[in-house]
Amino acid sequence: MIGNFLKIAEVAIIVLTTATTTRAQEWQPVEVVSISLNEQLHDFGTRKQYTKTEFEFKLRNDSTGILVINNISTSCGCTTPTYSKRPVKSGKTANIKVAYDASRIGNFNKSVYVYTNYSNNPIELKIKGTMEADEKE
């Protein structure tokens, strides 16, 4: 009888320990990552060759932590991003200016990849449009 009581007590301790450990793991705080964009795709429309062709994307940090832009790459050397390397506090905005080489004639559709501390996957920003030959040339 005492042997059965000890086995029941052992099982109860194991069950309580497991329940307590599981419950503590379920309620751990998790930082929610949230970034808002003014635009993800900017269409320049049709423009004349050599016209200044740039747009400023805005990324707002809606998370509780600090956003860090680790790197920005582009799909083509004809697209140049400019941005601040300063960390972006919660509620603040990072500006990414993207310039396109307006000397090229024809349609363009380019991507800019923004790598942050929030994810291994980049945020993809896009620009597109058409450059027409300048009649004066």
Side-chain angles (χ1 to χ4, degrees):
M1 180 122 151
I2 293 176
N4 284 341
F5 176 75
L6 289 175
K7 281 191 177 193
I8 292 170
E10 268 182 55
V11 170
I13 290 170
I14 291 170
V15 169
L16 285 173
T17 304
T18 304
T20 305
T21 304
T22 303
R23 187 174 258 306
Q25 290 175 352
E26 289 176 13
W27 295 103
Q28 295 300 319
V30 176
E31 183 178 341
V32 177
V33 175
S34 179
I35 298 172
S36 299
L37 300 167
N38 63 332
E39 283 188 54
Q40 193 161 9
L41 167 65
H42 182 73
D43 187 348
F44 287 102
T46 302
R47 305 181 78 140
K48 294 290 183 193
Q49 184 181 18
Y50 304 113
T51 302
K52 186 175 184 177
T53 307
E54 61 184 33
F55 179 76
E56 191 167 77
F57 290 96
K58 296 181 183 295
L59 281 71
R60 187 177 65 221
N61 180 6
D62 294 331
S63 298
T64 57
I66 292 181
L67 169 68
V68 177
I69 297 174
N70 296 323
N71 188 33
I72 296 181
S73 63
T74 62
S75 60
C76 174
C78 59
T79 308
T80 308
T82 306
Y83 66 101
S84 172
K85 301 201 181 359
R86 282 184 263 147
V88 182
K89 294 180 182 177
S90 178
K92 300 297 180 184
T93 301
N95 298 322
I96 301 171
K97 187 187 297 184
V98 177
Y100 176 73
D101 179 0
S103 66
R104 299 169 186 234
I105 297 172
N107 295 330
F108 65 92
N109 190 354
K110 305 298 176 188
S111 293
V112 176
Y113 304 100
V114 181
Y115 295 87
T116 72
N117 61 317
Y118 284 157
S119 174
N120 291 330
N121 299 320
I123 299 166
E124 184 179 14
L125 307 174
K126 293 183 176 188
I127 59 169
K128 71 176 191 173
T130 303
M131 300 306 292
E132 290 183 339
D134 190 353
E135 299 296 324
K136 296 176 190 174
E137 298 285 316

